[in-house]
Amino acid sequence: MTYFIPWLQLIVAAIIILFSSKYLAKSADVIAEKTGLGRSFVGVVLLATATSLPELGTGINAVANLNAPNLAAGDVFGSNIFNLLIIVVLDIYWRNGTFLGSVYNNTWVIAVLSISIISIAVIALWNPLQINMGIAHMGLLSYVIVIFFIICMFTLYRQGKNSQESHEDSPDQDESYTLKKSFIVYGISASIIIISAIFLSRAGEEIAEIMHWGESFVGTQLLALSTSLPELATSIAAVRLRAPELAITNLLGSNLFNTGIVLFADDLFYTDGSIWNALSSAHIVNAGIAIIMTCIVLTTILLKPKRKLLKYFGVESVLLVACYLIATIYTFQNP
């Protein structure tokens, strides 16, 4: 029975996150419409931030209470990879040509920013510039990452204002949802998600001990899959609204948040020096694979293929799945 409890705890927490994410997507869509911010900007900032709260809660709990930095970092880099794998699901679901070929051209900016911020994380993992700043025992590049994230948000805000995007109202939008009600639902759903994420991290740590798996593998695969459920649910909801740009900006925006904010918070709450000095070298490979996968996404967005070379999905989906499998095998063999 003792072996069964952590798995049950993980499954229940994952179900709660999946359920709550539906309300996140609905309230975020109403906020985007009523504030005039547009779905692309909300997808990057508001929706991506909310759906990345499980990674934030999991990471802080892992380093502060469990002293498991590799579990925290593994969840970040694993979630980045899994978020990009979600594109394959969306490509299969999308019937009007390829999914990435249907998004707006300006989403390439988000892909480039995502590649850039993950590249900074790779440099931090390589550890050439970890100078102790004397503030919370954090590494120099943690500050660089969070500053770059802020610059990314400003860039995307300006881009959103200049693009003047317009979307048709969603036929499924509930007219009873006022702006005030939407913000309340958004706040409650986000709170439920982050509380559930704490139970996810505890269950993942116990499963790692029971199954004799390394923290890096559990974080990159098991926890990453669970904490990426909000991105999966909200992205599918966006596709059902026929708003592919909301889905892709949610996924790429989540990767920006994971790398820029979650890793910064992990280093902030890790008190045994800089967290980068405690991380496994396996994360470098996973971060590199996330960069390669994002490059595949970027190239596809720019080329805008209209037809699927295969029956149900494009060549880019095959490449994304191959990258994910390589990351999985490597992480399992190098915990």
Side-chain angles (χ1 to χ4, degrees):
M1 181 62 69
T2 304
Y3 296 93
F4 176 73
I5 292 177
W7 287 100
L8 179 62
Q9 179 176 312
L10 186 140
I11 292 172
V12 171
I15 291 174
I16 293 174
I17 290 174
L18 186 61
F19 178 78
S20 300
S21 66
K22 296 179 181 179
Y23 292 94
L24 273 175
K26 187 175 183 178
S27 60
D29 188 45
V30 175
I31 291 171
E33 197 68 39
K34 293 186 179 295
T35 60
L37 291 173
R39 283 173 173 163
S40 290
F41 181 74
V42 169
V44 174
V45 181
L46 193 61
L47 194 57
T49 299
T51 55
S52 293
L53 287 177
E55 285 85 355
L56 180 62
T58 297
I60 292 175
N61 185 64
V63 297
N65 298 326
L66 304 177
N67 193 28
N70 278 301
L71 188 65
D75 184 35
V76 168
F77 295 115
S79 292
N80 288 350
I81 292 174
F82 190 81
N83 287 342
L84 295 167
L85 184 68
I86 291 174
I87 294 174
V88 178
V89 178
L90 301 181
D91 193 27
I92 295 173
Y93 188 86
W94 189 258
R95 295 303 180 188
N96 298 330
T98 63
F99 170 73
L100 290 176
S102 303
V103 302
Y104 291 145
N105 286 333
N106 59 10
T107 53
W108 70 267
V109 176
I110 309 171
V112 170
L113 293 175
S114 180
I115 292 170
S116 301
I117 200 169
I118 298 175
S119 297
I120 298 174
V122 171
I123 295 174
L125 287 167
W126 229 330
N127 228 20
L129 296 174
Q130 287 307 306
I131 301 173
N132 191 339
M133 298 292 290
I135 304 176
H137 308 288
M138 296 172 63
L140 172 63
L141 290 182
S142 290
Y143 295 97
V144 174
I145 285 177
V146 76
I147 291 173
F148 184 79
F149 174 80
I150 295 172
I151 294 173
C152 290
M153 294 301 100
F154 178 75
T155 301
L156 295 172
Y157 173 72
R158 292 295 298 271
Q159 182 199 38
K161 289 185 64 177
N162 294 334
S163 64
Q164 296 293 322
E165 291 179 8
S166 62
H167 302 278
E168 297 180 356
D169 290 343
S170 169
D172 298 325
Q173 195 175 89
D174 190 347
E175 293 298 331
S176 67
Y177 262 55
T178 63
L179 186 60
K180 180 180 178 180
K181 180 179 179 180
S182 298
F183 274 113
I184 292 174
V185 172
Y186 177 90
I188 293 174
S189 301
S191 300
I192 293 174
I193 286 175
I194 198 168
I195 292 173
S196 300
I198 295 176
F199 289 95
L200 271 177
S201 64
R202 290 177 178 174
E205 177 68 11
E206 292 179 16
I207 291 172
E209 295 178 359
I210 293 173
M211 304 299 293
H212 303 291
W213 289 342
E215 287 178 359
S216 297
F217 176 77
V218 173
T220 306
Q221 302 301 322
L222 190 59
L223 279 186
L225 187 150
S226 299
T227 56
S228 290
L229 285 177
E231 284 87 351
L232 175 61
T234 52
S235 295
I236 291 177
V239 169
R240 288 177 175 173
L241 290 172
R242 304 200 64 77
E245 69 287 339
L246 178 61
I248 191 64
T249 51
N250 173 38
L251 296 174
L252 294 177
S254 293
N255 287 2
L256 278 174
F257 186 90
N258 288 345
T259 310
I261 297 298
V262 176
L263 284 178
F264 176 82
D266 291 345
D267 200 5
L268 179 64
F269 283 88
Y270 185 72
T271 57
D272 296 334
S274 172
I275 192 174
W276 303 103
N277 297 322
L279 297 181
S280 167
S281 60
H283 299 302
I284 297 178
V285 174
N286 290 321
I289 290 176
I291 291 175
I292 294 173
M293 293 175 74
T294 310
C295 287
I296 294 172
V297 172
L298 172 61
T299 303
T300 308
I301 290 174
L302 293 176
L303 293 178
K304 296 188 74 66
K306 296 301 181 182
R307 293 184 177 181
K308 298 179 180 180
L309 297 184
L310 302 176
K311 186 175 181 180
Y312 297 104
F313 42 78
V315 174
E316 67 277 7
S317 293
V318 177
L319 296 176
L320 291 174
V321 170
C323 290
Y324 178 80
L325 292 176
I326 292 173
T328 301
I329 295 171
Y330 177 84
T331 307
F332 185 76
Q333 294 179 343
N334 299 272

